[in-house]
Amino acid sequence: MKPLLGIPAELSVLDIMCFGPSAKPPYKRWKKTLADISNWNRFDGAHFMTDAQIDEWVANTRHKVMYRDAENVD
């Protein structure tokens, strides 16, 4: 499947499908848009991050998605 969809060899395929409304209302936090995290029919290379980009994301952005407290969202 990976060659058919154009997914780089170093990436793993993860399939999560959610159906229906959420059980609880969402809490305030920083989120990526659906378009930023999903691919349809083929892998979008714009979503690929190098190890250095991942390290930068962990250092500068991850806290925005980890904490539930609204005061921690910037």
Side-chain angles (χ1 to χ4, degrees):
M1 288 300 289
K2 288 170 69 169
L4 178 68
L5 297 174
I7 299 171
E10 61 269 21
L11 296 180
S12 298
V13 176
L14 176 63
D15 182 12
I16 300 174
M17 300 180 114
C18 300
F19 296 99
S22 60
K24 298 178 182 177
Y27 55 89
K28 181 182 175 186
R29 69 176 184 171
W30 178 86
K31 291 185 186 181
K32 289 185 176 185
T33 65
L34 182 59
D36 288 338
I37 62 171
S38 61
N39 297 288
W40 298 96
N41 299 323
R42 286 194 61 76
F43 177 74
D44 181 356
H47 296 160
F48 182 78
M49 293 173 67
T50 64
D51 288 344
Q53 289 170 317
I54 292 170
D55 290 341
E56 180 181 340
W57 183 87
V58 167
N60 300 313
T61 309
R62 182 173 70 169
H63 71 281
K64 296 178 184 179
V65 299
M66 297 286 293
Y67 299 109
R68 291 179 175 243
D69 301 328
E71 66 266 14
N72 291 325
V73 178
D74 44 1

